[in-house]
Amino acid sequence: HLFAALLLFWVLYRMTGDIWPCFVAAAFFAVHPLRVESVAWISERKDVLAAVFWMLSMLAYVRYRERPGKGRYLALVVLFLLGLMSKPMLVTLPCVLFLMDVWPLKHLDARSLFSRDSWRRIRPYVLDKLPLLAVSIVVVAGTALLQTQAIQAMDGVPLGARVANAALSYIAYIGKTLWPAGLAAFYPHPGSSLPTLHVVGSLLLLTTVTGTVIALRSTYPYFIVGWLWYIVTLLPVIGLIQLGEQAMADRYTYLPVLGINIAVAWGLWQWLASHPKALRVATAVALIVLIALVSVTRHQ
């Protein structure tokens, strides 16, 4: 876990050169109580192992983009395969690599993602992900085949209930990231008993945030990258295909919440750029919050 956190810091620093937000994003990843389940539970050893290969794959992609070549691309593919063998949840990595092309690598202008001629601009960056996407599709199909019995066992949960729980879980994970209280080893699935008002509110909030980050993509590209990182990487475990009786799990946030960390860290960094006198105060507050998180994490 420590190695994964250090690799996260290094790969972010390689791409941005901004040491303050890199430290904040990596430190909050390292000591947050939501990490406890993945790090302390022996059967989730795969989380931390997969995270190491995720970070190494990101680093390999940065090196490939700096100087494209077959050898560097092969290194990326091998690291990606090792990550998938650790945990199939890494199937979303090709999508995150594409987001990295937008920011912080800045090979693509964020505005081009939704322009009329967007395909012409983004096509080269989509095509070089196709081998990785092909591997992801094979892994998804194989995992679904192996988990057929588990999926069939949860057929009693209607699709509408799964969608409602997924919408609520997206918001709940953010809530637990901002205020990590009431963490548990098991959150039972509510079935069809979720309050309609809560579900509608969650869907509206998700839609509003998504629309906002898209509108701000030119000025604040790290917001759309961080938000889409969070949304996309949670998809395999958000519960649309229900495995087990849990509604959500702390361990599922191990990689997805990195997107939120990145968006918040660079959002604060840009604000501090126009308010340099606040840097010391912001650093002191960040350290106090980190110390508090360490205490809660130790208790957890």
Side-chain angles (χ1 to χ4, degrees):
H1 175 62
L2 174 60
F3 189 41
L6 292 173
L7 281 172
L8 173 64
F9 172 83
W10 177 242
V11 72
L12 290 175
Y13 184 70
R14 275 286 303 270
M15 291 189 290
T16 66
D18 300 326
I19 194 167
W20 193 91
C22 292
F23 169 77
V24 169
F28 275 81
F29 167 73
V31 304
H32 199 283
L34 283 177
R35 307 290 87 78
V36 170
E37 190 170 278
S38 293
V39 177
W41 187 15
I42 191 63
S43 66
E44 285 306 305
R45 178 176 55 182
K46 58 189 177 185
D47 270 358
V48 292
L49 183 61
V52 167
F53 287 120
W54 175 287
M55 306 305 172
L56 289 173
S57 297
M58 288 176 61
L59 187 59
Y61 185 69
V62 173
R63 286 171 51 80
Y64 168 73
R65 277 288 167 223
E66 288 173 346
R67 197 174 67 196
K70 292 181 179 179
R72 294 192 173 198
Y73 193 84
L74 179 61
L76 168 61
V77 172
V78 170
L79 290 168
F80 179 48
L81 288 171
L82 291 171
L84 287 171
M85 287 192 288
S86 304
K87 189 172 186 179
M89 188 178 170
L90 265 69
V91 292
T92 56
L93 178 60
C95 300
V96 172
L97 297 181
F98 177 78
L99 292 173
M100 287 168 52
D101 286 325
V102 177
W103 185 92
L105 295 179
K106 299 179 181 178
H107 296 302
L108 287 170
D109 187 344
R111 289 173 296 183
S112 67
L113 294 179
F114 302 95
S115 60
R116 290 183 179 180
D117 62 340
S118 60
W119 174 243
R120 180 180 61 82
R121 299 183 183 185
I122 70 176
R123 181 172 55 188
Y125 299 94
V126 172
L127 293 179
D128 67 8
K129 311 294 187 304
L130 288 182
L132 303 178
L133 286 170
V135 173
S136 292
I137 291 170
V138 171
V139 170
V140 169
T143 303
L145 186 63
L146 291 171
Q147 298 283 357
T148 300
Q149 288 185 334
I151 294 171
Q152 289 175 344
M154 294 303 294
D155 275 348
V157 181
L159 178 60
R162 282 178 268 156
V163 172
N165 179 70
L168 208 61
S169 296
Y170 269 117
I171 303 302
Y173 284 133
I174 295 176
K176 290 183 180 295
T177 298
L178 298 176
W179 191 258
L183 304 183
F186 178 68
Y187 305 95
H189 199 289
S192 301
S193 64
L194 284 172
T196 303
L197 186 62
H198 291 180
V199 176
V200 172
S202 298
L203 289 170
L204 285 174
L205 188 54
L206 286 170
T207 304
T208 301
V209 174
T210 303
T212 301
V213 298
I214 290 174
L216 297 175
R217 65 188 184 279
S218 298
T219 310
Y220 307 103
Y222 40 80
F223 283 158
I224 189 171
V225 168
W227 180 249
L228 291 181
W229 177 319
Y230 173 68
I231 295 295
V232 171
T233 53
L234 259 178
L235 271 177
V237 291
I238 201 62
L240 296 176
I241 298 176
Q242 187 67 31
L243 291 173
E245 299 179 357
Q246 73 282 348
M248 51 190 289
D250 295 349
R251 62 187 179 275
Y252 292 161
T253 67
Y254 195 73
L255 286 170
V257 169
L258 283 177
I260 302 297
N261 288 5
I262 289 169
V264 171
W266 266 269
L268 285 172
W269 183 240
Q270 181 154 337
W271 181 81
L272 288 171
S274 56
H275 301 80
K277 293 182 180 180
L279 179 59
R280 289 186 180 180
V281 175
T283 303
V285 170
L287 290 174
I288 290 170
V289 173
L290 283 171
I291 292 170
L293 288 176
V294 168
S295 176
V296 178
T297 295
R298 184 175 183 276
H299 174 76
Q300 181 70 4

